[in-house]
Amino acid sequence: MERDGKMGGHLDGFSDGGVSRLEVMEGPTGRQRRTKAERARIAAESLVRRTSVTEVARRHGATRWQVYDWRQKLRDGQLVVP
């Protein structure tokens, strides 16, 4: 097992608790931590004319809903572009 806790698992078994197969997946969880400055920069990039929020999100490995949320926070002053 990994010491950093970045493991996932899946049990394919029976309702009585017996397990027929155990599958362990190692690697990053896919979750990224971004600084407020990074979020603000991505949000600002999505506000450029003729730019697709979906494309900006995809380019930065985020979801479009995250980008929409960051845009709202940018408008409300909770995020500031450095």
Side-chain angles (χ1 to χ4, degrees):
M1 276 208 164
E2 293 275 330
R3 288 180 186 253
D4 62 2
K6 293 184 179 177
M7 291 187 93
H10 174 74
L11 294 176
D12 182 17
F14 305 100
S15 59
D16 67 355
V19 176
S20 62
R21 181 180 69 167
L22 173 65
E23 187 177 333
V24 177
M25 291 131 335
E26 294 185 43
T29 61
R31 187 172 188 164
Q32 292 185 0
R33 292 250 184 228
R34 298 183 196 278
T35 64
K36 285 188 173 185
E38 289 173 313
R39 288 181 257 163
R41 188 179 51 76
I42 294 168
E45 183 181 331
S46 75
L47 292 170
V48 174
R49 188 179 184 117
R50 296 183 184 225
T51 301
S52 163
V53 171
T54 302
E55 284 301 315
V56 171
R58 190 174 296 143
R59 191 168 36 249
H60 293 283
T63 67
R64 68 178 194 255
W65 301 114
Q66 286 175 309
V67 176
Y68 284 127
D69 183 53
W70 298 338
R71 285 167 57 147
Q72 184 64 47
K73 288 180 179 178
L74 188 65
R75 281 192 286 268
D76 292 343
Q78 296 174 25
L79 292 176
V80 179
V81 179

